[in-house]
Amino acid sequence: MGRQRAASSRRSHAAGPGAVTLTGRGGVVLMFGAALVCALLSRWLGVGLLAGAGFAIACALAAFATRPADLLTIAVSPPLVFFFATVLAEVADALGHGSLLRALTVGLLTSLASTAPWLFFGTLLVLVITMFRGLPANVRELRGKLVGVRLFEKEDNENPVRWDESPTTTAERRLHHGDVD
């Protein structure tokens, strides 16, 4: 018990006093929430720069605040988070228009096209930050876990059910299947 407290104490002091650490899920939620809020504000205020810049800042904050063990989760999440935040913001914005499908389609395509450079910048920012924080170690650990998993190799025991030659007479069949009376 004493060792656990000492290790916990060392970890909290190593992170710095008052430092915030997030799990991988927490970092994804931070990115999604900030991207959604910034996308909505961008549409309502008419400031196109706000959606992309808010997403990039959220990506950097999530990459810095996520604990080292969950960096792989943060490194692969920005494109999907960006897409879902943009879709949800467009759905919320398109609700008041006459044709929901038309407004959603045009708005989504326009929004994705105009903020795509920010998506690339945010993703690149996350990758650079996580590389310096320990992402290669996480990739090596994952590779080590996957070494034993053989996905596409042919298995030695392809057909576990093997049929022996069937007996020719009914008496042999009864003896073969009738061990229990």
Side-chain angles (χ1 to χ4, degrees), residues 22-31 66 70 73-74:
L22 298 172
T23 62
R25 290 181 194 146
V28 170
V29 168
L30 172 74
M31 283 191 295
T66 301
D70 292 336
T73 303
I74 292 298

Side-chain angles (χ1 to χ4, degrees), residues 39 122 147 158:
V147 164
E158 275 185 12

Side-chain angles (χ1 to χ4, degrees), residues 34-48 50-51 89:
L36 179 61
V37 167
C38 289
L40 288 172
L41 287 175
S42 171
R43 280 156 190 70
W44 294 336
L45 299 176
V47 181
L50 185 59

Side-chain angles (χ1 to χ4, degrees), residues 14 17 25-26 33 35 50 60 72 80 95 100 110 114 121 126 157 170:
R25 290 181 194 146
L50 185 59
L72 190 57
L80 197 59
L95 285 178
L100 179 67
T110 305
S114 66
F121 178 68
V126 166
N157 194 7
T170 56

Side-chain angles (χ1 to χ4, degrees), residues 52-156:
F55 174 73
I57 291 169
C59 284
L61 288 175
F64 279 123
T66 301
R67 63 184 183 182
D70 292 336
L71 290 176
L72 190 57
T73 303
I74 292 298
V76 299
S77 299
L80 197 59
V81 167
F82 181 80
F83 178 73
F84 282 122
T86 304
V87 167
L88 195 56
E90 284 301 325
V91 166
D93 192 44
L95 285 178
H97 294 90
S99 172
L100 179 67
L101 182 62
R102 182 173 160 222
L104 184 62
T105 304
V106 170
L108 186 61
L109 291 175
T110 305
S111 180
L112 286 174
S114 66
T115 54
W118 287 103
L119 166 64
F120 299 135
F121 178 68
T123 304
L124 181 66
L125 204 57
V126 166
L127 288 174
V128 168
I129 293 169
T130 56
M131 287 295 261
F132 287 111
R133 292 199 59 226
L135 181 63
N138 288 353
V139 172
R140 280 191 299 274
E141 180 184 338
L142 179 64
R143 186 179 296 148
K145 288 179 182 177
L146 293 176
V147 164
V149 178
R150 298 179 303 174
L151 296 177
F152 299 109
E153 291 181 15
K154 198 171 187 180
E155 200 167 317
D156 295 337

